[in-house]
Amino acid sequence: MQETSYRDRIGQLTEPGERVLAYAKAEAANGATPAPPPDPAAPAAPGRVTVGSALLNVLVPLVTSAPGDRLVDRIAWGVAGRGVPGSAASRLHHALRSPRPVGTVRDVLLAATDRRLLVCLTGPVKLLSSRADDERSLAETRIAWSAPRAEVASARVGWHRLNPKRLRLDFADGSWFAFTVPIAETGRPLRAVAAALSG
């Protein structure tokens, strides 16, 4: 799909008079992430991590526990975001986890406008898709999460382990979340988003 199609679709999702300064196709970084926002209807779950639960996650991947998953992610990938439940990073991560049909993927589009940070999700598309599938996916693109520019304290692209193209978004509430692009792809769009949010 042509990258200009993404810009055109993001432009359709903005408010009247809002200008798109930069955009990038990205993916949420791998690693330990912030806890989900609190669900007032759910009872508090125990969050204790034990060596046994982490070892069980590694040895028997079909038997998992949330605390064990977080520990394995932290060891394998590092930390991809931090924040208390309900923080900006927590809400952002939760928004990216929308359900999709099995065997499909969604692209994540980050956009910096003169007013907001937009995080958009395309419609689901099959792994082996046709041009018609791509066009339908693009038409179904929606804003999954947004924040006013004032809520983004800083944005920078830098190294994390072996990936030199990791965008870290720090929010005014002290939380943060990271996005990456595959190693083979250029990091220029992510740097443009970081520059637009910092400028």
Side-chain angles (χ1 to χ4, degrees):
M1 181 176 306
Q2 294 183 355
E3 297 299 316
T4 55
S5 302
Y6 288 136
R7 184 179 183 96
D8 294 343
R9 179 60 182 144
I10 293 167
Q12 294 169 0
L13 297 172
T14 58
E15 297 170 347
E18 186 175 16
R19 291 182 308 116
V20 177
L21 304 176
Y23 71 98
K25 181 178 159 187
E27 53 195 39
N30 291 318
T33 55
D39 181 0
R48 190 163 177 229
V49 179
T50 64
V51 174
S53 66
L55 188 59
L56 188 60
N57 279 40
V58 172
L59 297 176
V60 187
L62 296 178
V63 179
T64 63
S65 69
D69 282 344
R70 284 193 297 276
L71 183 60
V72 170
D73 283 344
R74 180 183 283 271
I75 293 167
W77 302 103
V79 179
R82 279 213 172 107
V84 298
S87 64
S90 168
R91 289 180 282 118
L92 168 55
H93 181 247
H94 182 70
L96 293 174
R97 299 174 58 105
S98 66
R100 58 183 167 79
V102 175
T104 63
V105 295
R106 291 181 190 269
D107 287 333
V108 177
L109 306 173
L110 303 176
T113 74
D114 55 350
R115 299 178 192 171
R116 300 180 287 169
L117 164 65
L118 304 177
V119 180
C120 304
L121 289 175
T122 65
V125 65
K126 297 174 192 163
L127 296 175
L128 298 173
S129 62
S130 66
R131 175 172 274 209
D133 291 335
D134 290 345
E135 289 173 359
R136 181 190 46 76
S137 172
L138 183 65
E140 293 176 8
T141 299
R142 63 180 175 76
I143 298 173
W145 187 84
S146 69
R149 293 281 299 262
E151 196 171 332
V152 181
S154 69
R156 62 188 179 280
V157 175
W159 279 86
H160 177 74
R161 298 198 177 179
L162 296 177
N163 191 342
K165 298 170 284 192
R166 182 165 123 145
L167 170 66
R168 178 174 160 152
L169 298 171
D170 289 281
F171 298 102
D173 63 6
S175 65
W176 64 272
F177 197 77
F179 290 90
T180 61
V181 294
I183 294 288
E185 292 183 17
T186 179
R188 196 171 301 126
L190 279 185
R191 285 190 282 277
V193 168
L197 289 170
S198 300

